Amino acid sequence: MTVSSDLAAWALGLRREDLPDEVVVAARRHLLDGLGTAVAAARRGAAEPAMSVAAGLGGPPEATLLGRGVKISAPAAALATGTLVHALDFDDTHAGGLVHATAVVLPAVLAVGEQVGADADEALVAAVIGFETVCRIAGAAPHAFHGRGLHATMACGVFSSALVAARLMGLDQTTTVDALGVAGSSAGGLLEFLATGSSTKQLHPGLASHAGILAARLAAAGANGPDSVIEGDRGLYAALADGHADAALVTADLGVRWETTRITLKPYPACQLMHAALDAGRQVLPLDVSDVQDVAVEVHPDSAAIVCTPDKVDPRTAYDAKFSLPWSLAALLTDGEVTVGTYEPDSLGRPEVRSLATRVQVTEVPDARVAADAPSRVTVTLADGRTLTGHVDHSAGAALDAKLAANVGGAEAAADLAAAVEAFDLPALITVADRLAKENR
């Protein structure tokens, strides 16, 4: 038996009655949050290249292009939806695997589910299969993909999207294993955007979802793939994670330990690796930044390598700022909050924020926990010598209600979307999300 064959057997055999209540609640919560971030991105035009290309790809009218009200092929729709969910970097995170789970699960569930006419139970089961798959594959190699310059969300997300598609398409186990094998050849997602401030990372979940659905279709058409694609000598972990993985963890306690319940909502539309520092920074507010002499912040070394490099003090683009701990912390201390508006282009050039960012001193503090779940401390030294300190043991995450309302345009819109997700009637859910995505703020 291989990881792929074990995953496929579990996924194809899972039933709605096998899901504990807390797993169902968690799955609905994260799908709702993902729809909210997609709506917010659509209203801001944050994913226009993907939306335009998806519309141009066209194809048979299988799935809805959210915000455009037209139907296109399921793979093309998933490309757009995955990019929408992740475009603002406001979608959820599984700390153990450092992956944005919903961004690669929701697109496949919506697109293939709409294509095949999946009922509420089948769509919900497929979503849980996707959540467990991406979180487990990434979690078995903590920070190993990022350490090699790869985005774990895309590297692992192709497998979850393929498995979601295979389940919804009704593929048998042999064909599903082939789909996973084919999907592995699309695993990737380079982090080189960190060096330039470009926004290619926005596309990674959409590309993963698109590739996963294509892999399932290719397998259904007769293409085969290696069943050892994950743990093999030239498989995912060996090639893309430098072999730093425990493949047995992918399928350990399947159906007993549910990673779906360990995904957290983002309170800030920025890289998860600096959320603990921002939480700690909030504890010293309110603050008159004109009185601040310097700011010291303690972070995990793996976080520092991504969000605290010297070039991050003066972000080149709005997307670059989302991966700058010094600048984001300075913005928080200046404004008292970090919101989607913090990263609008006209917010970047503020001299008071840049000045404070240059006075943020970073200390790397090793911790046994993964970077996304590690503690942080912020110490602000004032001009008169007094110090203010904030400390958190880990990022607290966000409450859904307020975040959702802000993303979709108010409490009434949020209630409409929440009711659709609770029922999980895909046609109704998609109709509501499409309508909200079309509305202007």
Side-chain angles (χ1 to χ4, degrees):
M1 300 294 287
T2 63
V3 171
S4 290
S5 62
D6 285 349
L7 269 178
W10 168 77
L12 298 182
L14 190 66
R15 296 294 178 262
R16 172 65 177 81
E17 54 268 26
D18 300 328
L19 303 181
D21 290 345
E22 63 269 23
V23 174
V24 173
V25 169
R28 286 194 175 115
R29 177 176 65 246
H30 292 288
L31 294 167
L32 182 55
D33 179 65
L35 287 165
T37 62
V39 167
R43 290 180 171 191
R44 288 175 168 80
E48 279 307 303
M51 295 289 286
S52 177
V53 168
L57 289 173
E62 297 169 336
T64 300
L65 179 58
L66 295 181
R68 299 288 177 89
V70 298
K71 288 194 175 185
I72 54 178
S73 72
L79 169 66
T81 301
T83 306
L84 280 173
V85 173
H86 193 52
L88 298 177
D89 236 289
F90 209 4
D91 49 313
D92 58 26
T93 307
H94 179 268
L98 195 53
V99 285
H100 302 286
T102 298
V104 290
V105 172
L106 178 63
V109 171
L110 291 189
V112 183
E114 186 176 10
Q115 174 199 348
V116 303
D119 64 24
D121 284 351
E122 185 65 4
L124 185 60
V125 169
V128 173
I129 289 168
F131 285 134
E132 291 296 311
T133 300
V134 67
C135 294
R136 284 167 169 271
I137 292 177
H143 208 78
F145 296 103
H146 288 78
R148 287 289 297 269
L150 291 163
H151 190 193
T153 299
M154 183 172 177
C156 304
V158 291
F159 298 101
S160 63
S161 295
L163 199 50
V164 166
R167 170 64 189 241
L168 290 171
M169 290 166 62
L171 303 187
D172 62 28
Q173 184 172 338
T174 298
T175 309
T176 298
V177 172
D178 282 330
L180 292 169
V182 172
S185 287
S186 295
L190 298 177
L191 297 181
E192 184 58 18
F193 74 91
L194 290 167
T196 67
S198 61
S199 56
T200 51
K201 180 173 176 283
Q202 294 177 321
L203 301 171
H204 290 167
L207 293 170
S209 298
H210 181 270
I213 295 171
L214 286 183
R217 290 187 173 194
L218 286 165
N224 57 48
D227 63 355
S228 54
V229 65
I230 294 173
E231 76 275 26
D233 291 343
R234 300 170 186 82
L236 175 76
Y237 291 142
L240 302 186
D242 203 23
H244 298 307
D246 183 352
L249 292 177
V250 178
T251 55
D253 299 322
L254 266 173
V256 177
R257 168 174 54 86
W258 297 93
E259 294 300 321
T260 303
T261 64
R262 294 179 170 89
I263 305 168
T264 58
L265 303 183
K266 271 190 174 186
Y268 313 108
C271 180
Q272 177 74 34
L273 293 175
M274 58 189 181
H275 281 208
L278 294 178
D279 282 350
R282 290 176 63 180
Q283 294 181 0
V284 306
L285 298 173
L287 187 70
D288 181 353
V289 293
S290 65
D291 288 338
V292 175
Q293 181 174 325
D294 59 56
V295 180
V297 57
E298 297 176 0
V299 300
H300 192 288
D302 290 341
S303 295
I306 292 178
V307 297
C308 300
T309 54
D311 60 316
K312 297 299 179 184
V313 173
D314 191 12
R316 292 148 291 192
T317 67
Y319 207 75
D320 203 19
K322 291 174 177 283
F323 291 82
S324 170
L325 174 54
W327 190 90
S328 296
L329 182 57
L332 172 75
L333 297 177
T334 300
D335 302 332
E337 61 181 359
V338 169
T339 68
V340 172
T342 301
Y343 299 102
E344 295 291 346
D346 59 4
S347 180
L348 294 186
R350 293 181 290 163
E352 68 276 20
V353 176
R354 185 189 185 283
S355 174
L356 185 54
T358 64
R359 285 173 275 148
V360 174
Q361 304 299 316
V362 176
T363 300
E364 298 182 17
V365 179
D367 192 275
R369 286 166 287 185
V370 294
D373 201 33
S376 185
R377 183 184 304 275
V378 170
T379 302
V380 176
T381 301
L382 303 178
D384 62 7
R386 290 181 298 131
T387 60
L388 306 172
T389 300
H391 175 268
V392 298
D393 193 53
H394 57 82
S395 175
L400 177 58
D401 291 350
K403 177 183 177 181
L404 181 66
N407 277 336
V408 303
E412 183 177 347
D416 287 346
L417 192 58
V421 171
E422 181 66 25
F424 223 76
D425 179 327
L426 282 186
L429 186 158
I430 290 166
T431 297
V432 173
D434 181 55
R435 171 175 59 80
L436 293 176
K438 293 174 185 175
E439 296 176 1
N440 294 322
R441 282 194 177 275

